[in-house]
Amino acid sequence: MADELGGRVARHAVVIGGSLAGLLAARVLAEHAERVTVVERDRFPEGQEARPGVPQGRHLHVLIAGGQQALDELLPGFMAELGELGAPKVGVPEDMVQWQNGQWFRRTPATAHFYTGPRPQLEWLVRQRVLADPRIELVEGTETVGLTGDSSRVRGVRLRERGAGADKETRTLEADLVVDASGRSTKAADWLAGIGAEAPHEETLDTGLAYATRVYRSPADVPGTDAIGYYVVPSPDQVYGGVVLPLGDGRHLVTLSGLRGDEPPTDEGAFEDYAKRLPHPVVSDWLARAEPDSPVYGFRKTSNIRRRYDRPGRRPAGFLATGDALCAFNPIYGQGMAVAALTAVALRRALTDPKRTPTTRQVQRALLDASKQAWDISAGADKKMPGATGDAARPGPADKAVGWYLRRVQERAAGDPVVGAPFRAALTLTAPLTALFAPSVARAVLFGPVHGTPAEPPLSRN
Ligand SMILES: Cc1cc2nc3c(=O)[nH]c(=O)nc-3n(C[C@H](O)[C@H](O)[C@H](O)COP(=O)(O)OP(=O)(O)OC[C@H]3O[C@@H](n4cnc5c(N)ncnc54)[C@H](O)[C@@H]3O)c2cc1C
């Protein structure tokens, strides 16, 4: 069969991009191919520093529970090792002072945990674990500039050394399978056009959300709270976001967010003023007592983008997309790393399906399915944001009824653990969205009262 993933990936697989999605895909492919080559444009730093190819790495990254489980499945013992490196573990709602939809969350016992800490630390640990596998080779400082083959089958990639001018010759690396993990700005559409194939349709939804992030040291005598962090969640009625979370080394990362036309500034003086737009001074007060320890970094590429490789089109066998190159999310929901890991788990399951040798299209569909819940959450919420643009921003037939129900879920999630626990499980990708419609939850959502929530930020647990 022309489209079959020959011999379940066969001799040589090439992965474009050595960040989380690429490394985790390589980890899985090494179980099937004779050898795997990861081609990365950057040269990796020795330690746990940020790097140019992952500019979002300077911004707040949390690893939600669905991602933790998937990482442990792919790299046994991973979460324990991350904890040993010092990544703080935060229980929700217990450990956070959280404001959302006009309410402070009650700090009831945690039903979900996320890990925070520097994103480069997490990526470094994944890199150490994955590249220890002798079946995986790394080609650093090298950019993929195209594919070889034709519209029916990919035969390899064209590479150019980084820093070499556009006129510098390229070399070819042959492969039976090529996986695009080059992130949300992938050039796959051009690469496919270059071999006579069709680019996938790009479904988009852009709220114009922008981040600005700065590291702070908080003096030991800061009065205040037994909480580990603060989180002011944006919503259609209140579009500003603010998060303060520990890095695990005595410092905190502070991310502020706002929408198109009123983005948070990267100007050092103006950053702290911007925090005053949040609906409560709790973040601003914290900042007034803390010491800045870095410049302010901005980030504006936050649209939801889903590349519909599952739809018909003239596309070659032996080419897959994963991670942000397949489906990128508004980062405010904290899903992308988790989905990169869940997608690698889906890749493993598709390739080990005992019932059939899968085609490229079947595997690609399995990878897209692994991102569906995160997309539904992210795009579903972003549709309601003022000024959202893109074809996925158009209302669907069920939006009104679902929106009505979810508003009731949110009103109750802050004060009622019966609703809050499944709400968090769905958001952290450990339970399906249908968990919100289970009988006990539906009863509380449809007929139960809205429980009281604290009038002021709950700075202590009781
Ligand atoms: C501001 C921000 C905050 C975020 N916060 C969170 C969060 O809290 N929680 C969470 O789970 N996710 C978060 N994410 C998402 C997360 O960063 C990504 O989903 C995750 O990094 C997976 O990305 P990836 O490996 O697909 O791509 P990336 O991490 O973007 O990596 C792409 C890699 O490909 C390389 N590359 C690119 N082009 C080429 C080429 N032509 N040839 C060779 N190599 C190439 C790049 O150098 C890079 O190493 C956030 C994203 C942003 C933007």
Side-chain angles (χ1 to χ4, degrees):
M1 195 190 307
D3 189 28
E4 209 167 82
L5 275 184
R8 297 197 183 223
V9 183
R11 295 172 300 277
H12 186 206
V14 166
V15 179
I16 306 168
S19 178
L20 290 179
L23 289 167
L24 295 173
R27 164 83 189 91
V28 170
L29 293 172
E31 295 160 3
H32 298 273
E34 281 169 27
R35 61 195 181 97
V36 179
T37 306
V38 176
V39 178
E40 168 55 48
R41 195 169 53 188
D42 277 353
R43 288 197 174 279
F44 288 126
E46 281 292 310
Q48 302 174 8
E49 298 96 50
R51 60 188 177 88
V54 184
Q56 73 270 30
R58 296 193 182 277
H59 296 268
L60 179 78
H61 272 69
V62 302
L63 181 65
I64 57 175
Q68 297 163 33
Q69 289 173 4
L71 276 162
D72 265 341
E73 188 174 334
L74 295 162
L75 302 167
F78 182 87
M79 292 314 305
E81 286 180 31
L82 190 66
E84 278 159 26
L85 285 177
K89 183 178 180 183
V90 183
V92 278
E94 187 170 8
D95 294 335
M96 294 290 284
V97 172
Q98 179 171 341
W99 189 99
Q100 188 168 11
N101 294 316
Q103 295 172 311
W104 294 105
F105 271 66
R106 285 175 59 209
R107 289 178 56 196
T108 49
T111 62
H113 292 86
F114 64 81
Y115 279 77
T116 170
R119 149 73 200 242
Q121 178 181 66
L122 190 147
E123 191 185 305
W124 175 86
L125 185 57
V126 172
R127 202 157 64 230
Q128 301 308 303
R129 290 286 305 267
V130 171
L131 296 182
D133 187 331
R135 296 166 296 185
I136 302 175
E137 189 193 341
L138 173 67
V139 177
E140 289 178 278
T142 302
E143 191 172 5
T144 299
V145 293
L147 299 171
T148 61
D150 55 38
S151 62
S152 63
R153 174 161 280 285
V154 161
R155 306 266 171 215
V157 288
R158 288 194 298 112
L159 304 180
R160 182 186 292 136
E161 209 176 304
R162 184 133 199 221
D167 51 341
K168 175 94 193 259
E169 272 189 19
T170 61
R171 70 185 167 94
T172 296
L173 187 59
E174 288 186 1
D176 308 291
L177 174 68
V178 175
V179 179
D180 177 21
S182 64
R184 66 162 56 231
S185 304
T186 175
K187 299 281 188 296
D190 297 342
W191 302 337
L192 288 167
I195 56 166
E198 282 174 52
H201 170 69
E202 280 190 5
E203 221 175 340
T204 61
L205 204 176
D206 187 10
T207 64
L209 181 103
Y211 268 37
T213 297
R214 194 173 199 189
V215 178
Y216 281 81
R217 284 186 185 280
S218 83
D221 63 349
V222 171
T225 181
D226 57 11
I228 297 179
Y230 297 102
Y231 186 16
V232 176
V233 186
S235 62
D237 303 328
Q238 189 297 112
V239 298
Y240 300 104
V243 196
V244 180
L245 277 171
L247 284 168
D249 60 359
R251 301 180 307 159
H252 284 72
L253 207 59
V254 179
T255 288
L256 302 178
S257 67
L259 297 188
R260 189 186 293 115
D262 191 15
E263 294 91 350
T266 50
D267 172 86
E268 294 185 1
F271 180 80
E272 287 172 26
D273 274 349
Y274 192 87
K276 297 190 178 124
R277 294 174 199 211
L278 293 169
H280 192 279
V282 70
V283 171
S284 223
D285 290 350
W286 186 93
L287 285 172
R289 298 191 194 101
E291 286 295 320
D293 196 38
S294 80
V296 183
Y297 296 98
F299 201 93
R300 293 194 178 184
K301 282 191 198 160
T302 61
S303 54
N304 301 283
I305 308 172
R306 181 158 64 165
R307 297 183 171 92
R308 299 303 302 262
Y309 285 99
D310 55 320
R311 292 189 183 162
R314 199 176 60 254
R315 278 188 286 280
F319 181 80
L320 293 170
T322 188
D324 281 14
L326 175 61
C327 193
F329 309 94
N330 180 342
I332 203 86
Y333 306 105
Q335 299 169 313
M337 300 192 298
V339 172
L342 287 163
T343 307
V345 170
L347 177 64
R348 176 185 270 172
R349 290 196 183 134
L351 292 178
T352 46
D353 183 345
K355 290 195 291 290
R356 61 183 177 193
T357 301
T359 61
T360 302
R361 197 177 283 274
Q362 284 162 344
V363 176
Q364 186 64 82
R365 194 179 289 272
L367 304 191
L368 195 70
D369 284 352
S371 61
K372 183 173 184 312
Q373 177 160 335
W375 175 269
D376 288 345
I377 291 169
S378 183
D382 277 359
K383 263 185 201 184
K384 301 189 209 94
M385 293 304 279
T389 58
D391 57 357
R394 281 196 292 273
D399 280 0
K400 240 190 179 153
V402 174
W404 177 85
Y405 186 85
L406 290 181
R407 244 188 328 278
R408 293 181 72 88
V409 169
Q410 285 183 358
E411 281 163 6
R412 285 155 182 79
D416 183 357
V418 172
V419 180
F423 180 61
R424 275 184 291 281
L427 290 184
T428 57
L429 307 177
T430 53
L433 283 169
T434 49
L436 296 175
F437 299 89
S440 60
V441 186
R443 233 184 342 267
V445 171
L446 295 173
F447 308 115
V450 174
H451 289 241
T453 50
E456 288 297 317
L459 297 179
S460 50
R461 278 193 186 84
N462 300 305

